[in-house]
């Protein structure tokens, strides 16, 4: 999902204002594919062409004067279809190459300087966006196809961020000759159901402990402006809680449900519990999960504030991504009737965060409340459609290069772990089958052919790590959430220019050779870039749900 100013949204939204505010959106009429209009920049020599795909979606290509034959096709992440404070839906191409808003980085100029051709498009259907992944697969294929007819391309790279993972993965499986390498940046690993269910769990726990009028994922599914407004109205309730906690850090006792209110458990403990159950990172842009001081006397309190800070954007995924998904699969996609919340809380978390959770008795009381509280029963057809959404086999033999932050607050880094685990299972099955064929081979020609075609592990998983400590405190002892954010490893699609360009170079090299670099070569790349992980065995926490 595109980074949007959710703090501004939370500050701006009010439930009553949302109900009364009108919203009118113009939907573009479909257009026929057309011949692009091209202009050459007199100074740089870059030729920029603007055109439209057959459904009217805009696209752009850029070719530098030193073009060397490698072309990168950018796939952007999810975009809500309707505006809200701080966000306006795109009306054309808004991003040509990887960017990082937090680091004020746009790699377009650097990539053109290296002689790469660039292409991007507005992944819109009938002027609307949302979770239109199936349409985006076909639009991307059309863009690649028509560009190859117009420009001489020797190597093709399809790459993108966030929702792009749920587009590029099925794309390369459906169109195996559509690219020579695939790059996924802070991306979703299909199915989005894995991440979305954790988001829905998070909202459900909010409704249990903080505000029983919060509908969470049950509010999603009505199409068009009415559905958009319903989601915004519910988000405003959550925003009010986040705003209050940004002042008192959740020190007030839990007020709901009534039997638990008498226990005096602070709301921050329930927030921490909800975050741990959902798998939200315990590091954030300003909280390192370690540093103590002033109003943060212990590391688990630091992590509680981290979850508070991360919740704003994680809930953006749950609400706006969830509404986009619900418009595809239907309302009622969330069902927690069989969810065991105690099982989603890791034993090591119980030990590490005891103080922040207010002790074993408080944890047991909260878990018992969740176990007894009325659950959400979904619509079977919608639940099934969600599980099947963007279904992928993870069986491409093309090079795949992944990059995520250690503590991505929006698309959890466990998505990258999920992708690697799925792809590794396919690879190991291929190796086992190859081993059997080799063992059964009876003549030298057959053996020679097999030896030349042994399966190759062709996926690279890169992570940007955080500094060890980076939390700052104000003179009053409060954590300074206005200080500069951590230089690496946090946020969504938030990387340094060196990190992004290393990812791009690995992609270009992989497209050229057909294989990802060896670990020795890769380590030589990564060791030169601050905070890029060089341990091939490292992986962050896995997703709580895995299909």
């Amino acid at each position: 999902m595109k980074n949007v100013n959710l703090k501004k949204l939370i500050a701006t939204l009010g439930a009553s204002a949302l109900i009364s505010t009108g919203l009118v959106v113009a939907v573009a009429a479909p257009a026929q594919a057309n011949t692009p209009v091209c202009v050459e920049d007199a100074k740089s020599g870059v030729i920029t062409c603007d055109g439209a795909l057959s459904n009217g979606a805009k696209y752009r290509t850029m070719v530098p004067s030193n073009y060397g034959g490698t072309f990168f096709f950018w796939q952007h992440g999810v975009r809500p279809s309707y505006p809200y404070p701080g966000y306006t839906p795109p009306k054309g191409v808004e991003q040509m190459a990887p960017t990082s808003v937090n680091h004020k980085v746009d790699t377009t100029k650097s990539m053109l300087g290296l002689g790469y051709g660039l292409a991007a498009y507005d992944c819109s259907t009938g002027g609307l966006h949302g979770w239109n992944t199936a349409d985006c697969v076909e639009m991307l294929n059309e863009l690649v196809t028509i560009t190859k007819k117009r420009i001489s391309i020797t190597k093709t790279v399809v790459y993108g961020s966030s929702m792009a993972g749920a587009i590029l993965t099925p794309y390369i499986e459906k169109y195996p000759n559509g690219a020579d390498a695939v790059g996924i940046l802070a991306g979703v690993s299909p199915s989005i159901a894995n991440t979305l269910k954790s988001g829905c769990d998070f909202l459900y726990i909010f409704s249990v402990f903080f505000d029983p009028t919060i509908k969470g994922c049950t509010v999603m599914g009505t199409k068009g402006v009415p559905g958009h407004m319903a989601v915004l109205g519910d988000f405003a309730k959550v925003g009010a809680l986040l705003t209050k906690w940004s002042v008192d850090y959740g020190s007030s006792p839990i007020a709901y449900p009534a039997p638990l209110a008498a226990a005096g458990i602070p709301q921050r403990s329930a927030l921490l519990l909800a975050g741990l159950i959902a798998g939200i990172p315990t590091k954030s842009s300003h909280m390192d999960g370690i540093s103590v001081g002033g109003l943060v006397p212990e590391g688990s309190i630091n992590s509680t504030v981290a979850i508070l800070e991360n919740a704003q954007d994680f809930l953006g995924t749950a609400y706006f991504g969830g509404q986009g998904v619900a418009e595809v699969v239907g309302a009622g996609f969330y069902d927690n009737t069989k969810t065991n919340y105690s099982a989603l809380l890791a034993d090591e978390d119980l030990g590490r965060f005891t103080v922040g959770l207010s002790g074993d008795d408080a944890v047991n009381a909260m878990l018992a409340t969740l176990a007894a509280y009325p659950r959400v029963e979904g619509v079977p057809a919608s639940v099934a459609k969600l599980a099947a959404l963007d279904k992928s086999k993870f069986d491409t033999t093309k090079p795949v290069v992944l990059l995520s932050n250690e503590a991505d607050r929006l698309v959890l880094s466990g998505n990258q772990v999920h992708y690697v685990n799925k792809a590794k299972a396919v690879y190991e099955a291929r190796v086992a089958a190859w081993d059997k064929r080799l063992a059964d081979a009876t003549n030298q020609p057959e053996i020679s052919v097999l030896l030349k075609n042994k399966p190759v592990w062709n996926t690279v998983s890169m992570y940007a790590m955080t500094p060890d400590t980076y939390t700052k405190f104000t003179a009053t002892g409060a954590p300074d959430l206005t200080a500069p954010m951590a230089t690496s490893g946090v946020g969504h699609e938030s990387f340094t220019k060196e990190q992004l360009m290393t990812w791009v170079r690995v992609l270009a090299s992989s497209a050229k050779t057909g294989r990802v670099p060896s670990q020795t070569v890769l380590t030589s790349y990564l060791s030169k870039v601050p905070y890029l992980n060089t341990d091939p065995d490292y992986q962050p926490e896995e997703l709580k749900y895995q299909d």
Side-chain angles (χ1 to χ4, degrees), residues 181-207:
V182 179
I184 300 175
L185 182 75
V188 169
S189 178
S191 165
I192 186 61
N194 297 317
T195 297
L196 189 53
K197 189 167 184 181
S198 287
C200 292
D201 283 345
F202 196 55
L203 287 171
Y204 169 79
I205 296 173
F206 267 53
S207 73

Side-chain angles (χ1 to χ4, degrees), residues 360-430:
D360 292 343
D361 290 343
V363 171
N364 291 335
M366 289 187 287
L367 289 176
T369 299
L370 288 175
Y373 206 76
R375 297 302 180 91
V376 176
E377 184 173 355
V379 177
S382 297
V383 173
K385 287 180 181 179
L386 175 60
L389 191 63
D390 309 319
K391 204 68 175 178
S392 300
K393 298 177 181 177
F394 300 88
D395 64 353
T396 182
T397 58
K398 297 298 174 68
V400 177
V401 183
L402 311 169
L403 175 60
S404 286
N405 275 323
E406 172 192 357
D408 192 319
R409 67 197 180 208
L410 200 156
V411 175
L412 304 178
S413 54
N415 277 277
Q416 186 158 306
V417 179
H418 178 267
Y419 185 101
V420 170
N421 289 345
K422 286 284 191 178
K424 182 75 77 172
V426 173
Y427 164 71
E428 290 175 347
R430 283 176 173 158

Side-chain angles (χ1 to χ4, degrees), residues 265-289:
I265 301 170
Q267 291 178 342
R268 64 171 175 263
S269 294
L271 174 64
L272 177 58
L273 181 77
L276 294 174
I277 286 174
I280 297 177
T282 53
K283 294 182 180 182
S284 66
S285 295
H286 297 93
M287 309 304 295
D288 55 33

Side-chain angles (χ1 to χ4, degrees), residues 33 43 84 111 136 167 248 313 349 410 435 438 440 469 526:
K43 184 176 181 181
Y84 52 76
M111 292 183 69
C136 295
I167 298 167
D248 67 6
D313 286 309
D349 285 344
L410 200 156
D435 285 339
L438 184 63
D440 293 342
T469 58
L526 303 182

Side-chain angles (χ1 to χ4, degrees), residues 66-334:
N66 61 336
Y67 173 58
T70 299
F71 225 95
F72 282 77
F73 291 82
W74 178 255
Q75 174 63 60
H76 65 69
V78 68
R79 302 288 189 264
S81 291
Y82 305 100
Y84 52 76
Y87 169 76
T88 300
K91 296 181 179 179
V93 177
E94 61 175 5
Q95 183 181 13
M96 283 301 300
T99 61
S100 175
V101 174
N102 292 328
H103 290 281
K104 297 180 173 60
V105 170
D106 184 337
T107 61
T108 301
K109 186 175 180 180
S110 296
M111 292 183 69
L112 290 170
L114 291 173
Y116 301 139
L118 304 179
Y121 74 108
D122 178 24
C123 181
S124 60
T125 304
L128 300 177
H129 296 83
W131 202 265
N132 57 337
T133 49
D135 291 339
C136 295
V137 167
E138 303 309 322
M139 283 187 271
L140 177 60
N141 180 59
E142 182 182 352
L143 176 60
V144 171
T145 301
I146 63 176
T147 304
K148 285 184 174 180
K149 290 179 179 179
R150 188 168 54 86
I151 300 171
S152 175
I153 298 175
T154 57
K155 296 297 177 183
T156 300
V157 177
V158 293
Y159 68 140
S161 62
S162 198
M163 182 182 77
I167 298 167
L168 299 177
T169 305
Y171 167 83
I172 198 62
E173 293 175 11
K174 185 173 183 179
Y175 300 105
N177 296 319
D180 298 292
V182 179
I184 300 175
L185 182 75
V188 169
S189 178
S191 165
I192 186 61
N194 297 317
T195 297
L196 189 53
K197 189 167 184 181
S198 287
C200 292
D201 283 345
F202 196 55
L203 287 171
Y204 169 79
I205 296 173
F206 267 53
S207 73
V208 174
F209 293 135
F210 308 131
D211 183 352
T213 69
I214 291 173
K215 295 180 180 179
C217 290
T218 65
V219 79
M220 302 166 190
T222 302
K223 293 187 176 183
V225 173
H228 178 69
M229 297 304 292
V231 166
L232 282 174
D234 207 58
F235 185 81
K237 299 175 183 178
V238 175
L241 288 167
L242 297 177
T243 299
K244 177 178 180 295
W245 292 335
S246 68
V247 176
D248 67 6
Y249 302 106
S251 59
S252 299
I254 292 174
Y256 307 99
L260 192 63
I265 301 170
Q267 291 178 342
R268 64 171 175 263
S269 294
L271 174 64
L272 177 58
L273 181 77
L276 294 174
I277 286 174
I280 297 177
T282 53
K283 294 182 180 182
S284 66
S285 295
H286 297 93
M287 309 304 295
D288 55 33
I290 298 173
S291 299
V292 298
L295 300 178
V296 182
E298 202 265 342
S300 65
I301 304 300
N302 186 305
S303 292
T304 303
V305 181
I307 287 177
L308 169 61
E309 189 172 22
N310 287 333
Q312 298 178 20
D313 286 309
F314 183 72
L315 289 172
T317 300
Y319 272 111
F320 302 117
Q323 170 62 11
V325 168
E327 290 195 359
V328 175
V329 303
F333 63 81
Y334 175 59

